Amino acid sequence: MSSDLGTSRAATVRLLVRQARWIAHDVLELRLTRPTGGALPTWEAGAHVELTLPSGLRRTYSLCGEATDTEAWTIAVHRVPEGRGGSREIHETALVGRELEVRGPVNRFPLLPAPGYLLLAGGIGVTPLLPMARELTARGLPWRLVLGARDRSRLAYAEELAALGGDRVLLVPQDEAGFPDLAAELAATPASYAVYACGPQPMLDAVTALCRTADPARSLHVERFTAADDIDPVQIGSSGGEFEVVLTRSGLRLTVPADRSVLDVVREKRPDVPYSCEEGYCGTCETPVTAGVPDHRDTVIEPSERPTATTMMICVSRCDSPVLELDL
């Protein structure tokens, strides 16, 4: 995944939580509008927004409503009891009628041109793929969507998908049918089709391995909710030594020690710099680089794009030159 627009460049607005409704077991949908009504920035399938919750936590969620609805943004949040707290706060706080700061939209999971598409979703991973299915239907392009979940009660947007796609949609409740047969789905899909996947990490790892070993290799696009399992933790955790960071717009020169991240050091002087996952997979802290050689350690920028990338994720990435200049 890559993007021309970092979240730090996206607009920030205060939006009213107009409505909340249950759409599946432990999945709450929120509808966000301007407090007094009016148009919101346009967005395309695959885009996400960042919410600042009442506690101050910042979390990113895919837009899953109708892209043609210019006056509301819709997100759906799966409650993860063992997560980092954002989903629990959304589910356990009375948010309807409250205003939240929302940054976006940003799209690092765009729907790129292809003759056809295979959309693979696990659980809440259906949220960025639902708008894609709507758009592909409107365009008249061939697509198939496979959605797996632990049971039928957790198949978010199942009825809408079935109505939209008919037999192009396969719903796979694990307690009835096991896991989706990803290898069979790929084998039945023309090699020229693009593959889009979003869901739990084991599913994404399996799809990635299948697409890499296919002959020819498949065009795969993924959106992650957690760090990839195939990223070496030593690479993420290792420091690579001390270096200097220059914030060109702020006129600050800072030292990044071997045991601290660029994000940690920068936020001491610029606490407004956005961040979320701190593991290099969400893209919230993407920052333009004006000089220096970044050492990319994230999973947002594809390895093939790293030599020419003009941005970096400052939560995990470091520097291969003595000085790094950031547009902050």
Side-chain angles (χ1 to χ4, degrees):
M1 294 179 291
S2 64
S3 173
D4 296 326
L5 178 64
T7 305
S8 60
R9 296 305 196 200
T12 299
V13 293
R14 289 196 65 82
L15 298 183
L16 177 70
V17 182
R18 183 77 63 178
Q19 181 185 58
R21 69 179 182 119
W22 297 102
I23 58 167
H25 181 78
D26 273 347
V27 179
L28 186 66
E29 180 191 84
L30 301 182
R31 181 177 171 85
L32 309 167
T33 68
R34 293 190 185 275
T36 57
L40 291 167
T42 58
W43 59 279
E44 296 181 347
H48 68 257
V49 293
E50 178 194 77
L51 271 61
T52 299
L53 304 180
S55 67
L57 286 176
R58 295 175 177 177
R59 295 293 183 264
T60 58
Y61 299 102
S62 297
L63 290 170
C64 58
E66 297 276 358
T68 55
D69 184 353
T70 60
E71 296 196 355
W73 287 343
T74 300
I75 63 169
V77 181
H78 174 224
R79 186 178 187 275
V80 183
E82 69 280 8
R84 295 181 298 129
S87 69
R88 293 198 305 274
E89 181 174 351
I90 286 176
H91 278 247
E92 297 169 8
T93 305
L95 292 178
V96 175
R98 299 185 66 165
E99 293 183 17
L100 301 177
E101 183 179 276
V102 183
R103 186 188 299 265
V106 173
N107 198 343
R108 296 185 178 84
F109 194 44
L111 192 58
L112 300 177
Y117 299 81
L118 174 63
L119 311 176
L120 302 173
I124 197 63
V126 72
T127 51
L129 302 182
L130 174 57
M132 292 184 182
R134 293 194 194 105
E135 182 175 340
L136 294 173
T137 300
R139 291 188 197 174
L141 290 170
W143 61 272
R144 175 172 172 80
L145 186 145
V146 179
L147 171 59
R150 291 199 331 230
D151 56 58
R152 286 193 180 274
S153 71
R154 300 173 190 272
L155 291 166
Y157 297 111
E159 292 183 3
E160 180 176 351
L161 283 167
L164 181 68
D167 59 6
R168 290 181 293 183
V169 174
L170 176 65
L171 304 176
V172 188
Q174 182 183 334
D175 62 339
E176 299 175 25
F179 293 106
D181 190 339
L182 301 176
E185 292 293 336
L186 286 165
T189 302
S192 60
Y193 281 26
V195 181
Y196 280 75
C198 185
Q201 197 54 51
M203 185 197 90
L204 296 185
D205 291 340
V207 174
T208 299
L210 288 167
C211 288
R212 282 177 179 169
T213 56
D215 186 17
R218 304 301 298 260
S219 173
L220 173 65
H221 311 270
V222 301
E223 177 138 277
R224 302 183 186 277
F225 295 147
T226 59
D229 288 345
D230 60 355
I231 298 298
D232 185 353
V234 174
Q235 177 193 18
I236 293 177
S238 62
S239 67
E242 182 178 288
F243 57 94
E244 301 293 311
V245 169
V246 176
L247 309 186
T248 56
R249 283 190 282 139
S250 305
L252 297 173
R253 188 180 187 95
L254 309 173
T255 298
V256 180
D259 60 348
R260 298 186 65 196
S261 70
V262 177
L263 176 65
D264 284 342
V265 172
V266 169
R267 280 184 55 82
E268 285 187 347
K269 302 294 184 181
R270 288 286 309 273
D272 60 319
V273 171
Y275 70 99
S276 181
C277 74
E278 298 185 75
E279 295 182 40
Y281 65 83
C282 77
T284 301
C285 68
E286 184 174 17
T287 303
V289 177
T290 56
V293 183
D295 174 12
H296 296 287
R297 303 184 181 191
D298 62 274
T299 56
V300 177
I301 301 174
E302 298 288 350
S304 62
E305 298 173 332
R306 291 176 178 176
T308 57
T310 59
T311 63
M312 66 182 287
M313 311 305 140
I314 61 174
C315 65
V316 294
S317 298
R318 298 188 67 81
C319 183
D320 283 336
S321 57
V323 179
L324 180 70
E325 294 186 9
L326 301 177
D327 184 18
L328 287 172

